[in-house]
Amino acid sequence: QVQLVESGGGSVQAGGSLRLSCEASALSAGIHTMYCMAWFRQAPGKEREGIATIYNPGASTTVADSVKGRFTISRDNAKNAYLQMNNLTPEDTAMFYCAFRWGRCDLGVSAFRFWGQGTQVTVSS
């Protein structure tokens, strides 16, 4: 059972930056194990949206067009994932979730079995 805990959310003014962290515990995986960590977000009244994925082994990434050029996903050797968010706008205000799945990456919500509780990001104009 993989457990995920997000942190790093908060309030920021438009144009600012935040770095979200996702700590994965109880993740037993070798360097060649295929798994995917991802970030999603859900704004009030909207569906949950896939933002970025990062794959193991290697570190190939996918970033949604809606945030490309502003958001970057990364991972460390301890299997934690990060989302660097730059040039934030009020439209980025949402609850951000970390997710995990065994196997290849996918930006679909239904593809992921394990989810964190989320961290709130609020961007003011």
Side-chain angles (χ1 to χ4, degrees):
Q1 185 81 0
V2 177
Q3 296 177 336
L4 306 170
V5 178
E6 304 96 334
S7 62
S11 298
V12 64
Q13 289 192 328
S17 298
L18 284 173
R19 185 179 190 236
L20 306 184
S21 299
C22 174
E23 180 180 353
S25 60
L27 172 54
S28 178
I31 59 173
H32 299 297
T33 304
M34 292 189 294
Y35 65 85
C36 181
M37 297 186 75
W39 287 97
F40 289 76
R41 69 181 178 184
Q42 188 166 18
K46 294 188 177 181
E47 293 186 352
R48 194 166 296 191
E49 172 191 19
I51 295 299
T53 66
I54 187 163
Y55 181 67
N56 186 81
S60 60
T61 62
T62 300
V63 179
D65 289 342
S66 58
V67 300
K68 194 167 291 184
R70 299 189 299 121
F71 290 12
T72 303
I73 187 171
S74 62
R75 191 189 68 230
D76 63 23
N77 293 333
K79 307 181 182 69
N80 300 317
Y82 304 94
L83 186 69
Q84 177 66 41
M85 305 186 294
N86 298 327
N87 195 22
L88 286 161
T89 73
E91 289 69 36
D92 294 316
T93 295
M95 184 71 78
F96 282 71
Y97 297 91
C98 179
F100 175 94
R101 72 184 303 265
W102 297 109
R104 297 195 178 277
C105 281
D106 191 310
L107 274 176
V109 172
S110 60
F112 288 82
R113 177 182 176 187
F114 300 102
W115 294 85
Q117 293 300 307
T119 185
Q120 177 68 38
V121 172
T122 302
V123 185
S124 58
S125 58

